[in-house]
């Protein structure tokens, strides 16, 4: 074939190829165009949906709060607690509440949430004592738990916190498991009836796995809200930019209880040492006073009000406790529903 | 067993050890609270680290056993076996060796050609002279190209994070978590530089080792005195050139051996079909060129460039006067001029740091401080109960303090009185602070301040709000005599992009309280 144009057969073949490529491109665009979707954040979950799992038997006439004291558990400097003594105290205190077996379903999974906010020495009073945490872990296993997870989302670097404080070693020795948080474990949680807390990232990965929740808080002074006790301890279940909480701290603390209330947690207040000032971080032995006290209960207002008295202060001066009582979370008149053992 | 197999096993063992130690520097730190081992040992046996800091400081740093004196082991090995370190121990060299082997052409002729000597190989001696010239004038820059510093820095700030993030992404979204992955400012550039050097092996095998490596240059100069070297039996040699096929150093084993280039890989001995090559004690002098082919005046010129560059970059200030507010050094760091004589930019402190606050400097510490450690509180805050960075520093740029020494609760070894280390001082930006500027309660800064009594205190003050009502609000302030510059406040501030409280270097004290008045703040305290 001479001349500049292609033959008929050639012409048709090349036109068909071009058309096919064009159609493929257009088809891909058509398909992808139809796929346009606005990225949607994950839907928020609520612990209300899980409430059935956390049901526990009623115990009519049980006290709201049991306080155990012992003169021997810590020396004057707040020095190490004898683990055996703290274990006996815990068992004694849990007796009137129906023992640990009431809170831990046999063969279930338990989340223990200690206050482990800082990479501090336990003697500083800024975190829950590792021996108290270990005693709770052992007690949960003795009550038939299949698995005990110990988790917190601390303010300081998590791995450093658990290792420096001795919590990781004590928990592992007791058979428990430390769960170090990272962003994939968090999903937004919706708090029913929240006053200020919007849908907020919470450590859902552990909350959705367990059948019981136990909080362990030290007794601490706090620079803004007055006292950091069991209600404020739930702060460590949340992620995100928590620094914003201070703007409405009393409301947020009440919302934290609204968040966790469906899990009906057992509350443990570790008053062996009390951080009297410079809280919530402490940092000096002079800030700590030895009280040799352990309190357990189910009423967050009563147990925290008792904790405020360990700080030598008036519970009614702590705004979030007054708010919590008004919201029906519990009673500030803890003395009437308290038992000492 | 074939000698090259033995060599490969040695190489694999040292590479694995190096990678393991570098990897575990982060994990061990968190698990044990104190380190039991780190990759520091590789830096301590590195004669360039020892000699470079010796030129700058006039001393070999050691704390406890040997320290940088371990470098004598490699020094001695060069005097006996030449550059054997490069092909038997150096983990960076082993990595290049492996990549170069993978990129080998098929035809034997092409293989041999890639291993011809090139005049560019003389460049590394000029680089070495330049670095040593700068070191003698107080600016240690060897870490930019020293293979062990370069490799560790790249692993710590980019290659490990790259692998770790890929592994995390690939793991199923279960509920077992490894914690947040660290991030490093400018880490991409450090990683890209290392990957570019790895890629260069496809064009020229062991490009870095042959052309750039200042440690190889130092060992090459020492190998002039080596007792052992490759010897060629001229009566058996047919000049077939097969010995070049796998020659790592491009050192002409079929001619006059270039002793300073020979990496002692011993491949030539096995490749020789006539058995003409051997590794021998004190062979005839005429068979080799003991000295590298580089003109003396080039070396002098290189040293002069380095010696001029060091004071030149300081003419813009920044090191002493007009220091950057962001030049916040880790706890235990020695005084700045001394620091620049010691830091080899290996990045171990950044790897071990459990809070990710330690970052490779961009220009915070001037052009000569690039990739030295500085604190950036937007990545983390310096933990008061931690002194891990000083435990891994091989050169004493960060002194090995205990937590008690860092916090001024125990005297230093040697009897210096206790001094509380201050990294800088916090300052409020009241225009961005929620209570100060917007009548919104906050004081998170006070909450997280870790010293007792707290350096941040707040005073409850009555303010009149927009609608005319009165409000009691806590307004925070800093007590500069108590502030240790840890940055807990800056890191926790809810104003995330440009925090309303920021630490700057003013008021810092270096290790043992040494430091310049230039960076001080208070006349007392």
């Amino acid at each position: 074939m001479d001349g500049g144009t292609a033959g008929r057969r050639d012409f048709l073949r090349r036109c068909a190829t071009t058309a096919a490529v064009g159609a493929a491109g257009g088809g891909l665009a058509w398909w992808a165009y139809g796929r346009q979707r606005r990225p949607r954040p994950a839907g928020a979950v609520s612990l209300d949906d899980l409430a059935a799992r956390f049901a526990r038997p009623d115990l009519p006439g049980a006290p709201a709060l049991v306080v155990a004291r012992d003169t021997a558990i810590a020396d004057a400097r707040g020095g190490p607690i004898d683990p055996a003594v703290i274990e006996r105290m815990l068992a004694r205190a849990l007796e009137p509440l129906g023992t640990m077996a009431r809170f831990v379903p046999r063969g279930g999974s338990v989340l223990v949430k200690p206050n482990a906010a800082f990479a501090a020495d336990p003697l500083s009073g800024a975190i829950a004592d590792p021996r108290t945490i270990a005693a709770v872990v052992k007690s949960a296993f003795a009550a038939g738990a299949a698995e005990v997870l110990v988790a917190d989302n601390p303010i300081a670097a998590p791995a450093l916190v658990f290792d420096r404080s001795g919590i990781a070693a004590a928990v592992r020795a007791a058979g428990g498991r430390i769960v170090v948080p990272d962003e994939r474990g968090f999903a937004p949680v919706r708090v029913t009836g929240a006053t200020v807390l919007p849908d907020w990232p919470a450590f859902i990965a552990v909350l959705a796995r367990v059948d019981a929740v136990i909080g362990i808080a030290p007794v601490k002074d706090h620079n803004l809200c007055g006292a950091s006790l069991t209600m404020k301890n739930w702060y460590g279940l949340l992620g995100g930019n928590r620094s914003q909480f201070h703007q409405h701290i009393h409301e947020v603390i009440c919302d934290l209880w609204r968040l966790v209330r469906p899990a009906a947690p057992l509350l443990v207040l570790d008053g062996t040492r009390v951080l009297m000032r410079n809280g919530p971080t402490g940092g000096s032995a002079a800030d700590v006073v030895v009280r040799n006290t352990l309190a357990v209960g189910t009423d967050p207002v009563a147990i925290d009000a008792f904790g405020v008295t360990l700080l030598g202060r008036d519970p009614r001066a702590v705004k979030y406790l007054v708010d919590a009582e008004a919201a029906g979370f519990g009673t500030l008149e803890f003395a009437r529903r308290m038992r000492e053992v | 067993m074939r000698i090259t197999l033995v060599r490969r096993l040695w190489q694999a063992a040292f590479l694995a050890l190096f990678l393991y130690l570098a990897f575990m520097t982060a994990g061990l730190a968190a698990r044990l609270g104190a380190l039991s081992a780190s990759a520091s040992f590789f830096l301590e046996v590195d004669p360039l680290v020892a000699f470079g800091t010796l030129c700058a400081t006039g001393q070999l740093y050691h704390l406890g056993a040997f320290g940088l004196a371990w470098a004598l082991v490699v020094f001695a090995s060069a005097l006996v076996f030449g550059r054997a370190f490069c092909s038997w121990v150096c983990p960076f060299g082993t990595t290049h060796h492996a990549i170069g082997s993978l990129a080998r052409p098929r035809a034997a002729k092409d293989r041999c050609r890639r291993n011809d000597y090139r005049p560019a190989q003389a460049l590394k001696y000029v680089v070495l002279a330049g670095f040593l010239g700068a070191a003698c004038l107080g600016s240690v820059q060897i870490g930019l190209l020293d293979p062990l510093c370069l490799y560790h820095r790249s692993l710590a700030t980019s290659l490990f994070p790259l692998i770790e993030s890929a592994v995390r992404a690939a793991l199923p979204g279960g509920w077992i978590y490894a914690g947040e992955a660290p991030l490093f400012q400018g880490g991409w550039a450090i990683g890209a530089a290392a990957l570019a050097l790895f890629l260069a092996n496809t064009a020229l095998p062991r490009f870095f080792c042959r052309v750039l490596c200042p440690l190889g240059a130092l060992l090459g100069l020492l190998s002039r005195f080596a007792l052992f070297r490759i010897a060629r039996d001229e009566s058996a040699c047919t000049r077939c050139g097969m010995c070049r096929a796998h020659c790592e150093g491009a050192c002409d084993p079929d001619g006059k051996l270039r002793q300073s280039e020979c990496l002692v890989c011993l491949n030539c001995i096995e490749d020789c079909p006539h058995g003409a090559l051997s590794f021998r004690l004190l062979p005839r002098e005429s068979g080799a060129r003991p000295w590298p082919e580089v003109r003396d005046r080039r070396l002098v010129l290189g040293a002069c460039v380095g010696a001029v560059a060091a004071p030149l970059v300081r003419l813009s200030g920044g090191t002493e006067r007009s220091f950057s507010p962001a030049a916040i050094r880790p706890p235990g760091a020695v005084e700045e001029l001394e620091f620049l004589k010691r830091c080899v930019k290996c990045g171990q402190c950044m790897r071990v740091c459990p809070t990710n606050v330690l970052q490779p400097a961009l220009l915070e510490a001037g052009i000569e401080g690039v990739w030295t450690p500085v604190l950036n509180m937007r990545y983390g805050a310096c933990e008061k109960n931690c002194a891990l960075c000083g435990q891994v520093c091989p050169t004493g740029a960060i002194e090995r303090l205990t937590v008690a020494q860092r916090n001024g609760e125990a005297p230093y070894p040697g009897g210096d009185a206790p001094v509380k280390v201050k990294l800088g001082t916090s300052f409020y930006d009241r225009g961005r602070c929620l209570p100060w500027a917007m009548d919104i309660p906050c004081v998170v800064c006070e909450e997280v301040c870790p010293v007792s009594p707290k350096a941040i205190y707040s005073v409850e003050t009555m303010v009149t709000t927009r609608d005319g009502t009165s409000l009691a609000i806590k307004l925070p302030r800093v007590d500069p005599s108590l502030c240790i510059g840890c940055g807990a406040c800056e890191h926790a501030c809810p104003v995330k992009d440009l925090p309303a409280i920021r630490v700057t270097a003013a008021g810092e004290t270096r290790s043992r309280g040494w430091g310049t008045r230039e960076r001080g703040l208070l006349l007392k305290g």
Side-chain angles (χ1 to χ4, degrees):
Chain A
M1 180 101 40
D2 62 344
T5 52
R8 188 182 339 149
R9 181 183 291 246
D10 217 19
F11 173 82
L12 288 175
R13 189 176 53 77
R14 283 165 60 184
C15 280
T17 312
T18 304
V21 172
L28 180 68
W30 176 264
W31 177 76
Y33 188 80
R35 277 170 60 85
Q36 175 177 296
R37 267 176 301 195
R38 206 167 275 137
R40 221 179 266 278
V45 298
S46 165
L47 288 202
D48 297 344
D49 307 334
L50 306 173
R53 179 192 290 180
F54 295 111
R56 63 159 179 262
D58 276 336
L59 189 67
L65 163 67
V66 185
V67 174
R69 294 179 210 269
D70 200 307
T71 52
I73 59 174
D75 66 35
R77 282 180 51 255
I81 305 168
D82 177 357
V85 176
I86 198 92
E87 282 163 30
R88 281 200 302 276
M89 268 175 91
L90 180 69
R92 217 163 68 218
L94 283 170
E95 197 68 38
L97 290 176
T99 76
M100 186 61 99
R102 179 166 162 239
F103 297 92
V104 173
R106 186 156 287 278
S109 172
V110 180
L111 166 63
V112 173
K113 159 63 182 89
N115 181 326
F118 304 103
D121 186 317
L123 297 192
S124 70
I127 52 171
D129 192 288
R131 296 159 201 88
T132 310
I133 299 168
V136 170
V137 172
K138 280 189 190 169
S139 168
F141 276 122
E147 169 186 74
V148 179
L149 311 175
V150 178
D152 192 15
N153 183 25
I155 290 172
L160 192 66
V161 167
F162 289 120
D163 288 306
R164 275 305 155 79
S165 61
I167 292 174
V171 166
R172 286 194 194 108
R177 184 168 176 185
I178 297 281
V179 183
V180 179
D182 81 5
E183 69 271 21
R184 288 175 304 165
F186 290 84
V189 70
R190 176 159 300 161
V191 180
T192 310
T195 52
V196 294
L197 195 66
D199 292 356
W200 199 273
F203 204 175
I204 292 299
V206 286
L207 285 171
R209 183 186 171 93
V210 296
D211 311 293
V213 177
I214 303 173
I216 308 176
V219 181
K220 301 200 286 180
D221 167 56
H222 191 276
N223 72 313
L224 187 60
C225 64
S228 174
L229 301 153
T230 69
M231 276 174 75
K232 185 157 190 310
N233 180 34
W234 304 114
Y235 177 99
L237 285 179
L238 299 186
N241 183 1
R242 297 180 291 186
S243 298
Q244 296 171 2
F245 290 173
H246 272 210
Q247 295 159 30
H248 300 278
I249 192 159
H250 300 289
E251 292 83 351
V252 166
I253 292 173
C254 288
D255 285 349
L256 289 175
W257 177 251
R258 288 187 178 93
L259 184 159
V260 79
R261 184 166 52 172
L266 171 65
L267 308 172
V268 179
L269 194 66
D270 181 2
T272 48
R273 286 176 289 269
V274 174
L275 183 62
M276 300 297 283
R277 66 191 74 82
N278 214 56
T281 52
S284 161
D287 300 331
V288 178
V289 166
V290 175
R291 296 273 193 227
N292 287 323
T293 305
L294 185 76
V296 299
T298 52
D299 177 334
V301 187
I303 197 168
D304 282 6
F306 170 73
V308 175
T309 64
L310 289 180
L311 283 162
R313 300 179 197 168
D314 177 10
R316 294 202 176 269
V318 178
K319 183 172 182 300
Y320 70 82
L321 287 180
V322 177
D323 292 353
E325 186 184 46
F329 298 163
T331 176
L332 276 169
E333 301 300 323
F334 65 89
R336 276 186 284 154
R337 298 203 53 205
M338 179 170 107
R339 186 166 317 161
E340 293 208 47
V341 293
Chain B
M1 194 163 12
R2 281 160 51 217
I3 188 72
T4 52
L5 180 63
V6 177
R7 188 204 73 223
R8 283 192 195 103
L9 292 175
W10 270 74
Q11 285 179 291
F14 278 108
L15 177 62
L17 181 68
F18 181 74
L19 293 176
Y20 173 78
L21 290 174
F23 183 76
M24 290 304 283
T25 299
L28 275 180
R31 206 154 301 137
L32 302 180
L35 282 165
S36 60
S38 75
S40 277
F41 186 73
F42 276 89
L43 291 140
E44 285 174 345
V45 301
D46 181 335
L48 184 57
V49 169
F51 191 55
T53 54
L54 173 65
C55 287
T57 64
Q59 54 158 281
L60 274 185
Y61 177 75
H62 65 96
L63 211 150
F66 300 110
L68 294 183
W70 278 113
L72 285 170
V73 175
V74 175
F75 173 78
S77 83
L79 292 183
V80 179
F81 298 118
R83 286 176 71 180
F85 177 84
C86 304
S87 269
W88 288 68
V89 177
C90 179
F92 204 45
T94 299
T95 309
H96 288 293
H97 192 156
I99 296 170
S101 300
L102 291 174
R104 238 177 353 224
R106 281 237 173 88
K109 208 169 67 181
D110 296 335
R111 286 185 183 182
C112 293
R113 197 170 300 135
R114 275 165 29 118
N115 295 330
D116 289 346
Y117 175 79
R118 285 166 172 75
Q121 289 177 227
L123 180 62
K124 59 181 174 287
Y125 301 99
V126 184
V127 168
L128 173 69
F131 281 156
L132 293 181
C136 288
L137 291 213
S139 183
V140 166
Q141 297 299 325
I142 55 161
L144 291 173
L145 283 180
D146 176 274
L148 298 171
C149 299
L150 193 167
Y151 205 9
H152 193 282
R153 177 175 67 239
S154 309
L155 290 170
T157 64
S158 58
L159 301 182
F160 279 153
L162 189 68
I163 295 166
E164 285 161 8
S165 63
V167 168
R168 287 158 52 87
L171 284 178
W175 60 279
I176 300 163
Y177 302 102
E180 309 259 341
L183 301 170
F184 294 96
Q185 60 181 25
W188 70 270
I190 297 171
L195 293 174
L197 289 173
F198 290 154
L199 278 180
N201 288 296
T202 60
L204 183 68
R206 297 197 79 151
F207 165 80
F208 177 83
C209 312
R210 290 181 188 174
V211 176
L212 285 180
C213 183
L215 174 59
L218 182 64
L219 296 175
L221 295 176
L222 291 175
S223 64
R224 164 166 195 351
F225 308 99
L227 304 180
F228 281 83
R229 67 166 166 81
I230 299 284
R232 187 167 56 94
D233 178 354
E234 298 233 16
S235 59
C237 176
T238 64
R239 295 256 173 179
C240 67
M242 286 308 292
C243 51
R244 290 174 183 239
H246 303 99
C247 175
E248 287 291 310
C251 58
D252 292 352
D254 56 343
K256 264 190 143 186
L257 179 80
R258 294 175 187 272
Q259 205 168 332
S260 59
E261 305 303 311
C262 175
L263 302 184
V264 198
C265 66
L266 306 183
N267 284 336
C268 56
I269 295 176
E270 280 181 10
D271 284 340
C272 178
H274 311 292
L277 293 166
S278 58
F279 191 59
R280 292 233 324 267
L281 180 64
L282 291 172
R284 212 158 36 83
E285 292 241 351
S286 64
R289 290 176 235 235
W291 206 244
E293 199 175 316
V294 54
R295 293 218 300 277
D296 292 350
R297 58 183 70 178
R298 286 262 167 85
L299 293 181
V300 173
L301 186 64
C304 288
V305 168
V308 171
L312 182 71
V313 297
R314 287 190 187 173
L315 287 181
S316 55
T319 309
E320 294 169 280
R321 269 179 297 162
S322 183
F323 63 93
S324 160
I328 306 166
R329 294 297 192 187
V334 294
E335 178 266 319
E336 186 69 10
L337 288 180
E338 199 63 25
F339 188 88
L340 293 170
K341 290 178 182 172
R342 292 168 185 265
C343 179
V344 292
K345 313 179 183 203
C346 66
Q348 286 194 91
C349 50
M350 302 166 205
R351 177 79 185 157
V352 82
C353 177
T355 73
N356 199 201
V357 67
L358 273 187
Q359 295 285 324
L362 303 171
L363 293 173
E364 290 91 336
I367 189 77
E368 61 180 318
V370 167
W371 297 338
T372 57
V374 291
L375 278 74
N376 184 330
M377 313 305 183
R378 294 194 53 203
Y379 291 84
C382 186
E383 173 57 53
K384 176 171 163 272
N385 295 320
C386 176
L388 282 171
C389 45
Q391 313 301 309
V392 294
C393 183
T395 60
I398 311 172
E399 278 202 299
R400 197 169 296 183
L401 305 185
T402 63
V403 170
Q405 285 164 347
R406 174 203 167 154
N407 289 329
E409 292 154 1
Y412 287 89
D416 282 355
V419 181
K420 185 161 66 181
V421 172
K422 286 165 62 79
L423 310 173
T425 310
S426 292
F427 295 86
Y428 278 102
D429 185 342
R430 289 189 181 180
R432 298 177 67 81
C433 176
L434 303 183
W436 277 109
M438 302 158 198
D439 299 340
I440 297 169
C442 186
V443 292
V444 173
C445 42
E446 181 186 20
E447 177 187 38
V448 297
C449 178
V451 297
S452 177
K454 286 180 184 291
I456 295 178
Y457 62 99
S458 52
V459 178
E460 192 154 77
T461 310
M462 294 303 291
V463 295
T464 306
T465 60
R466 184 177 184 178
D467 57 12
T469 56
S470 287
L471 173 74
I473 192 163
K474 286 187 152 184
L475 299 178
R477 292 174 171 82
V478 176
D479 182 340
S481 67
L482 295 172
C483 180
I484 57 170
C486 69
C489 49
E490 179 175 347
H491 187 60
C493 179
V495 188
K496 283 295 175 200
D497 57 346
L498 180 64
I501 182 164
R502 298 190 291 277
V503 177
T504 73
E508 59 154 51
T509 57
R510 297 293 174 112
S511 184
R512 295 168 197 258
W514 292 335
T516 52
R517 295 303 312 177
E518 206 70 54
R519 297 190 189 214
L521 179 67
L522 303 177
L523 189 59
K524 290 173 66 180

